[in-house]
Amino acid sequence: MQRNKFTTMRSLKVLDRCKGAQVYALHTTGGGGGDVGDKLYHQLQDHLSVNPVRPISMHNYQSSNVPLAYVNETLLPYGLPVSDLLEPQIESCLKFVDFIGTLADLYRRIENCPQFEKTGMYLEQCAIFKGLSDPKLFRRTLRAARQHTVDVHSKVVLAAWLRYERREDELRGTNSMNCCGRNIECPKATLVPGYNPEFIYDPCVCSKNPRGESVDDYSIEDVECSTSDEYRDMSFCIGDNEIRCIRYCIASLSTPFRTMLYGGFRESRKEKINFTQNGISIECMKAAELYSRIRRVDSFDPRIILELLTFSNRFCCDDLKSACDSYLASLVNDVENALLLIEYGLEENAYLLVAACLQVFLRELPNSMHSPNVMKYFCSPEAKERLALVGHASFLLYFFLSQIAMEEDMKANTTVMLLERLADCATESWQKQLAYHQLGVAMYERKEYKDAQSWFEEAYESGHIYSKVGIARTKCKRGHKYSAYKMINSLISEYKPVGWMHQERSLYCDGKEKMSDLEMATELDPTLCFPYKYRAVLLLETNKIGAAISEISKIISFKVSPDCLELRAWISIAMEDYERALRDVRALLTLEPNYMMFHGKMHCDHLVELLRPFVQQWSQADCWMQLYDRWSSVDDLGSLAVVHHMLANDPGKSLLWFRQSLLLLRLNCQKAAMRSLRLARNHSTSDHERLVYEGWILYDTGHCEEALAKAEESISIQRSFEAFFLKAYALADTSLDQESSAYVIQLLLDALRCPSDGLRKGQALNNLGSVYVDCEKLDLAADCYMNALNIKHTRAHQGLARVFHLKNQRKAAYDEMTKLIEKARNNASAYEKRSEYSDRDMAKSDLAMATQLDPLRTYPYRYRAAVGPEHEVSAFAVLMDDHKENEAIAELTRALAFKPDLQLLHLRAAFHDSMGDYASTVRDCEAALCLEPNHADTLELYNKVRELVKEQ
């Protein structure tokens, strides 16, 4: 039974999506040029097998007649990095001393709060997940918040936020008001109040009639003619005009009319009532009379409806106001209309009309962020108060706006004003912590240290411990370095130390103490970039350039970030390794196309142009061969740089943008990957190609069914490798029972029959082999893996090793993984997988290497804590067989300190359960369920332990 609890620890993902390097199809997609494509493809394969491409050393290429002083002046105009000028960024998200405890507490509160209050709880969860590296957690929680909304305002904001997460504003040919087909984001469904969580993912019911048409066929003339004058028993006179009315119908419009026409006023005895001085036009009064009989406004001119809106407010005609409000809201479909109508909505307190205008503004983000005409309705205190009077000023609204503003420009006045409004709307403790801390960060970036310190202090007093980092930093900037040191020192003494505490204290000390803090920071949290950067620059300053490159490369090997790539490129220029420098700068540009090097003084594109004369020049054909070589050596960053080079030569090639996105996904750079995927879609030259890219965008943002529909639509237009591959991948991700596995196999076979390049087909063969293994068709799987290896898909060694292992050929499996380790530039996963085919001592050695190369991989921690080397013994074999539960828990706790992981939490909860520590078991289960509410094994353990606690 214990073994079953941990089966997920060793499970392999069935299909490995092609997140690695891809190349442009050498086969043609049409029917006429296939022979030429095949010939070119095989020629290239033959060439690669005989003449493998290797990087050309710049030391052999650099022109000897270029003076070194000139080179340094050209490439390093701002000198070398200086260690004293380095400092880590203050993170703008919520951070916690006890993150696991925070997750557990949040899960309990979400489970126990009333249904109508869940949106607020999920919003808090969004704020917490914003600081994690996995954007899927944030998006899933955002969808949950939208699912439980009741009011129109929250629906409008959350639906717009979900759309923004997909950045559809960057897709050519799309309209911000386009409907996605589901209630969750439908711009019409958001304007309907009410609580309906069970229908949120259903297809939306948009109007079947064009806007402006009524559901029933009728005309104003018909209605007017149908009412005889004999029933019109009174008139309203406006100037010389008389509007005949039915007294009872007019009285039914509102209490004031009923009192006037049937009460004790003299108008109740008059047949004619003078309305000349009331500022009401004849057209408006006629429309009001007609509405009193037909109860509809959709046939009136919008100008008349605006007058009716004012009329309804003046005479308290609630139903008329609601009808006008609703209809005017339905007319808002672009920014121009919204800017025209929002003033009417604000003046007349028209809730739905203002909501519709806000919806347009929000769905146009981030573009509308740069429009003064739009932002004037949000930024100032007066603007916020106007929105509040209509029920449209909320923490949620300003949370959304301020996050986008910070992404656009942290230092901008707009950002500061929106954060100030966020603080104005903050009522709960976590809201104040977030708003005040982010205001502190913005002010710090603007170098307004006094104001920054004040905001950080407000955040700290509201309960945000991490804001002490901001207080210390601003104190140091204002000349109180020792005070800053004491502040962080007290933090380390008061709480259980975490990596960022030691990192921060290192800023306020020198020498051995500083280096000791940096080493401790890396030990507690190896994902912190600053310690690696500081040590690398310090080594550079002592002329140990090779060691400096090795130090910064340690973190780049598992966590790619623009600042670390910049530093390595900078050091590479100093050591005259221009080829490596250019590679890193190109890779950097795929992450941040507008990145500025050398403390923000030089654009990366300019540095590329400066470096190009000092490196070997490649033709497009050379690039293809370089890409094959880097792909076969599992060099993802090198492949990324080559693809960037190819795109510089041919920026309109959608397939290259697509392959860039897949490489970025493999490197866990999801934001940059999605941007590349959108560019692939924008540069697509055919409908079937565009549909495939749209399908991947939907899949990567959690819309698997819609992705499948896009793939099927693409296949209906033209059978292509990518469409079949997308369909197979999305289907395999939903379920893989025997029937669906057979279908996935057929889809992958269909994909392989379509034209594509060798590397792409290698990925399909690798995935097909994986499905065959799960279907226990080992010989077929082995054939797939061998075919993949024949076309240089090096990662297929891993699948082949799995086949050998299942055939009880453990030595052969071990040898296959050894081949992968020898070939792969990024081989942490290979060491991890080889441990499965080793004896205990070798397994421990391989896993230690895997952790050293990539501390974010969780399997080694789980193995060291629980899983036996034979993988068939009790789940507690390594440490539990010696009753070393505390050591096992410590191993898991070490990893959880910097990577809150579902499997790690579940395993630690199981250890606590075995020791009878039910409180800790419940806490870890709740934290795990906060990350994944439907994890079956954790739910089973959680419910079991809670029952035990109740019985006791």
Side-chain angles (χ1 to χ4, degrees):
M1 189 67 186
Q2 285 178 337
R3 180 181 171 224
N4 292 337
K5 291 180 183 177
F6 304 102
T7 52
T8 53
M9 292 171 50
R10 303 199 307 271
S11 64
L12 281 171
K13 184 173 179 62
V14 175
L15 289 189
D16 176 23
R17 173 177 172 188
C18 181
K19 297 177 183 175
Q22 308 299 322
V23 297
Y24 173 56
L26 296 172
H27 296 160
T28 59
T29 55
D35 293 339
V36 176
D38 288 340
K39 184 177 180 181
L40 177 58
Y41 169 72
H42 290 300
Q43 286 175 346
L44 182 56
Q45 290 301 315
D46 293 340
H47 175 85
L48 288 171
S49 63
V50 178
N51 304 301
V53 181
R54 296 296 172 199
I56 300 173
S57 171
M58 257 315 302
H59 298 291
N60 297 330
Y61 178 77
Q62 183 181 335
S63 176
S64 59
N65 61 2
V66 180
L68 185 59
Y70 171 77
V71 173
N72 288 338
E73 182 181 346
T74 302
L75 300 180
L76 294 173
Y78 305 103
L80 294 172
V82 179
S83 58
D84 289 342
L85 298 180
L86 294 176
E87 68 173 46
Q89 278 194 327
I90 302 174
E91 296 188 43
S92 60
C93 57
L94 293 175
K95 287 183 72 72
F96 303 92
V97 175
D98 178 14
F99 188 64
I100 303 303
T102 300
L103 291 178
D105 174 67
L106 181 60
Y107 177 79
R108 283 194 302 273
R109 289 189 287 123
I110 290 174
E111 289 298 298
N112 295 327
C113 78
Q115 290 292 317
F116 291 166
E117 296 177 13
K118 283 191 181 292
T119 293
M121 298 303 305
Y122 283 122
L123 188 61
E124 180 179 353
Q125 192 176 36
C126 283
I128 293 172
F129 284 168
K130 192 72 174 173
L132 299 181
S133 59
D134 186 359
K136 292 180 181 178
L137 289 173
F138 176 80
R139 287 197 294 263
R140 189 198 68 207
T141 307
L142 203 61
R143 287 194 294 270
R146 168 65 183 90
Q147 181 178 2
H148 290 277
T149 50
V150 179
D151 61 289
V152 166
H153 172 78
S154 298
K155 290 181 180 183
V156 163
V157 178
L158 288 167
W161 202 337
L162 284 167
R163 182 182 185 277
Y164 173 79
E165 285 297 308
R166 289 201 306 278
R167 291 306 301 265
E168 290 197 3
D169 60 285
E170 295 183 1
L171 299 181
R172 292 177 187 167
T174 60
N175 185 289
S176 64
M177 299 303 288
N178 285 351
C179 181
C180 70
R182 304 280 177 176
N183 285 324
I184 191 168
E185 289 183 42
C186 174
K188 293 181 180 179
T190 57
L191 296 177
V192 179
Y195 184 69
N196 51 356
E198 63 275 16
F199 302 119
I200 199 69
Y201 295 109
D202 289 352
C204 59
V205 184
C206 294
S207 175
K208 295 181 181 179
N209 298 300
R211 181 170 288 150
E213 284 188 14
S214 59
V215 177
D216 302 318
D217 293 329
Y218 82 100
S219 66
I220 294 178
E221 291 79 8
D222 292 338
V223 174
E224 288 181 336
C225 292
S226 67
T227 303
S228 173
D229 280 345
E230 64 184 81
Y231 295 108
R232 303 176 192 262
D233 53 354
M234 62 161 292
S235 301
F236 285 102
C237 298
I238 300 176
D240 297 330
N241 295 279
E242 185 176 325
I243 298 97
R244 297 292 293 170
C245 305
I246 300 174
R247 184 181 294 268
Y248 171 79
C249 290
I250 296 295
S252 67
L253 289 177
S254 68
T255 300
F257 272 124
R258 186 165 56 251
T259 303
M260 179 177 70
L261 298 176
Y262 286 105
F265 294 97
R266 60 185 179 183
E267 285 82 358
S268 63
R269 297 183 295 275
K270 286 185 174 183
E271 184 179 344
K272 295 183 180 182
I273 300 173
N274 192 340
F275 254 38
T276 303
Q277 302 303 319
N278 284 330
I280 299 169
S281 70
I282 299 167
E283 293 83 357
C284 177
M285 197 64 227
K286 286 182 177 179
E289 186 278 327
L290 182 56
Y291 173 82
S292 73
R293 291 183 284 119
I294 67 173
R295 299 289 163 163
R296 302 174 68 153
V297 298
D298 49 355
S299 59
F300 301 143
D301 185 90
R303 181 182 59 81
I304 299 300
I305 299 177
L306 286 170
E307 279 198 71
L308 282 176
L309 184 62
T310 303
F311 177 92
S312 65
N313 271 330
R314 181 177 299 179
F315 295 102
C316 304
C317 306
D318 294 338
D319 290 343
L320 175 58
K321 179 178 180 178
S322 178
C324 294
D325 192 10
S326 179
Y327 185 73
L328 288 170
S330 72
L331 299 179
V332 184
N333 54 14
D334 57 35
V335 173
E336 185 179 356
N337 284 343
L339 288 171
L340 178 65
L341 291 172
I342 191 171
E343 280 295 337
Y344 288 101
L346 291 169
E347 289 296 326
E348 301 299 338
N349 196 26
Y351 179 79
L352 283 180
L353 177 55
V354 174
C357 296
L358 289 182
Q359 177 163 251
V360 170
F361 297 156
L362 298 180
R363 291 173 76 95
E364 287 284 346
L365 288 167
N367 296 328
S368 56
M369 184 72 67
H370 305 290
S371 169
N373 290 332
V374 171
M375 296 316 295
K376 71 180 182 180
Y377 291 105
F378 298 105
C379 289
S380 68
E382 295 75 21
K384 179 243 172 188
E385 288 304 317
R386 291 186 76 194
L387 289 174
L389 290 173
V390 196
H392 285 291
S394 67
F395 184 86
L396 169 61
L397 172 65
Y398 284 103
F399 186 18
F400 179 31
L401 289 170
S402 61
Q403 300 313 295
I404 297 175
M406 286 191 294
E407 290 177 14
E408 293 289 301
D409 184 358
M410 178 68 81
K411 302 176 185 178
N413 290 335
T414 297
T415 303
V416 173
M417 288 189 286
L418 289 172
L419 286 170
E420 288 173 342
R421 303 294 77 75
L422 181 71
D424 293 341
C425 295
T427 54
E428 299 181 34
S429 175
W430 73 268
Q431 295 175 349
K432 294 177 181 178
Q433 292 175 34
L434 180 68
Y436 299 156
H437 180 75
Q438 291 185 338
L439 268 166
V441 173
M443 292 301 184
Y444 185 83
E445 291 294 319
R446 289 160 63 99
K447 296 182 172 24
E448 298 177 22
Y449 298 125
K450 184 176 180 181
D451 289 340
Q453 181 176 333
S454 176
W455 285 116
F456 283 131
E457 287 170 347
E458 291 275 2
Y460 177 72
E461 289 170 6
S462 298
H464 193 229
I465 305 301
Y466 177 70
S467 291
K468 258 200 172 182
V469 167
I471 301 173
R473 200 79 67 87
T474 51
K475 280 180 175 288
C476 183
K477 292 292 184 182
R478 300 175 70 194
H480 305 290
K481 185 174 180 179
Y482 183 62
S483 176
Y485 175 85
K486 289 197 299 181
M487 179 172 289
I488 302 301
N489 198 49
S490 67
L491 201 61
I492 293 173
S493 302
E494 188 175 352
Y495 298 97
K496 182 179 178 180
V498 288
W500 56 261
M501 294 181 184
H502 285 278
Q503 172 179 272
E504 191 65 23
R505 190 172 67 177
S506 74
L507 301 179
Y508 315 120
C509 52
D510 301 298
K512 291 182 178 179
E513 187 180 358
K514 186 184 195 76
M515 298 309 295
S516 176
D517 264 334
L518 289 172
E519 290 297 333
M520 182 58 70
T522 299
E523 181 179 338
L524 293 173
D525 185 353
T527 68
L528 294 172
C529 296
F530 175 74
Y532 299 93
K533 291 171 63 178
Y534 184 87
R535 289 189 292 261
V537 174
L538 201 63
L539 288 165
L540 178 64
E541 290 174 341
T542 56
N543 208 31
K544 298 176 181 177
I545 302 180
I549 289 284
S550 298
E551 180 64 30
I552 195 62
S553 296
K554 289 178 183 177
I555 190 166
I556 292 175
S557 66
F558 66 89
K559 184 181 178 181
V560 179
S561 62
D563 57 330
C564 291
L565 286 174
E566 175 195 11
L567 181 57
R568 190 166 71 175
W570 204 339
I571 299 172
S572 296
I573 294 172
M575 68 185 298
E576 301 176 44
D577 188 348
Y578 304 124
E579 187 173 292
R580 181 178 0 210
L582 183 57
R583 180 198 64 190
D584 283 343
V585 175
R586 286 193 182 280
L588 192 164
L589 279 166
T590 66
L591 300 177
E592 294 284 350
N594 298 315
Y595 193 84
M596 302 292 289
M597 295 272 292
F598 308 137
H599 305 300
K601 296 175 181 177
M602 180 187 290
H603 198 284
C604 281
D605 279 330
H606 183 54
L607 184 58
V608 168
E609 293 304 313
L610 293 176
L611 284 167
R612 285 182 63 193
F614 299 96
V615 302
Q616 177 74 29
Q617 301 301 304
W618 293 339
S619 67
Q620 202 75 339
D622 293 330
C623 288
W624 288 121
M625 291 189 291
Q626 290 287 340
L627 187 55
Y628 267 79
D629 187 61
R630 281 158 173 72
W631 168 254
S632 64
S633 62
V634 195
D635 179 7
D636 295 329
L637 267 179
S639 301
L640 197 60
V642 174
V643 173
H644 180 270
H645 187 173
M646 298 168 79
L647 280 168
N649 297 332
D650 192 359
K653 187 67 69 176
S654 60
L655 283 173
L656 291 176
W657 286 112
F658 181 49
R659 281 146 174 75
Q660 180 171 288
S661 75
L662 299 169
L663 273 168
L664 288 164
L665 278 177
R666 184 175 289 283
L667 292 167
N668 203 30
C669 303
Q670 298 193 36
K671 182 179 178 181
M674 292 302 294
R675 181 177 60 246
S676 295
L677 192 52
R678 290 190 292 271
L679 287 167
R681 183 264 184 198
N682 288 345
H683 287 97
S684 57
T685 56
S686 63
D687 287 341
H688 74 88
E689 185 184 20
R690 172 182 54 79
L691 288 165
V692 169
Y693 300 145
E694 289 177 352
W696 280 120
I697 291 171
L698 288 165
Y699 177 84
D700 285 333
T701 51
H703 301 274
C704 191
E705 291 183 14
E706 290 85 347
L708 278 169
K710 291 284 185 181
E712 289 167 355
E713 187 179 353
S714 178
I715 292 169
S716 71
I717 298 172
Q718 180 173 324
R719 295 166 63 88
S720 68
F721 175 93
E722 294 298 348
F724 281 118
F725 191 95
L726 168 60
K727 186 174 180 180
Y729 192 90
L731 184 63
D733 197 42
T734 55
S735 64
L736 264 185
D737 53 30
Q738 188 172 0
E739 182 179 352
S740 59
S741 293
Y743 189 32
V744 169
I745 289 171
Q746 185 57 51
L747 289 170
L748 289 172
L749 290 172
D750 288 338
L752 288 164
R753 294 187 188 102
C754 297
S756 184
D757 61 85
L759 300 184
R760 196 68 172 124
K761 288 197 171 185
Q763 184 66 46
L765 286 166
N766 195 57
N767 286 5
L768 181 57
S770 182
V771 182
Y772 276 140
V773 168
D774 289 334
C775 296
E776 299 181 356
K777 298 178 180 180
L778 300 184
D779 290 337
L780 290 173
D783 289 342
C784 288
Y785 292 129
M786 290 302 297
N787 289 331
L789 288 170
N790 288 338
I791 52 177
K792 302 178 76 68
H793 188 80
T794 307
R795 289 182 176 90
H797 282 297
Q798 181 175 316
L800 193 56
R802 186 182 175 200
V803 171
F804 285 139
H805 178 63
L806 292 171
K807 288 184 173 183
N808 294 318
Q809 299 174 21
R810 192 166 178 180
K811 176 64 167 58
Y814 181 89
D815 291 343
E816 282 300 317
M817 294 311 300
T818 302
K819 293 176 185 177
L820 181 56
I821 289 171
E822 291 170 351
K823 294 179 181 180
R825 189 180 184 94
N826 302 319
N827 53 19
S829 64
Y831 278 107
E832 178 183 298
K833 293 300 178 184
R834 190 174 72 171
S835 71
E836 299 183 16
Y837 316 124
S838 312
D839 57 34
R840 179 178 292 197
D841 291 336
M842 283 296 297
K844 287 182 177 180
S845 175
D846 278 347
L847 291 174
M849 180 60 72
T851 298
Q852 180 181 333
L853 294 172
D854 184 357
L856 289 174
R857 304 191 73 87
T858 60
Y859 175 78
Y861 302 99
R862 289 183 274 140
Y863 176 93
R864 288 188 288 265
V867 180
E870 299 297 330
H871 304 285
E872 296 296 336
V873 296
S874 168
F876 298 96
V878 174
L879 291 172
M880 291 300 289
D881 57 4
D882 295 325
H883 303 288
K884 296 180 179 178
E885 295 96 335
N886 289 327
E887 291 184 31
I889 289 172
E891 179 70 21
L892 296 169
T893 302
R894 183 164 73 94
L896 284 167
F898 59 86
K899 184 176 175 63
D901 176 79
L902 173 66
Q903 298 294 342
L904 293 176
L905 284 166
H906 175 71
L907 183 54
R908 192 172 72 168
F911 275 120
H912 285 307
D913 176 42
S914 70
M915 298 168 64
D917 185 352
Y918 298 138
S920 297
T921 304
V922 169
R923 178 204 60 205
D924 283 352
C925 283
E926 288 172 339
L929 292 171
C930 190
L931 297 173
E932 177 47 73
N934 299 317
H935 190 245
D937 289 343
T938 303
L939 281 169
E940 180 184 349
L941 177 60
Y942 183 51
N943 292 329
K944 184 197 80 171
V945 172
R946 286 204 302 174
E947 287 299 320
L948 288 173
V949 172
K950 287 180 182 178
E951 291 174 4
Q952 292 178 355

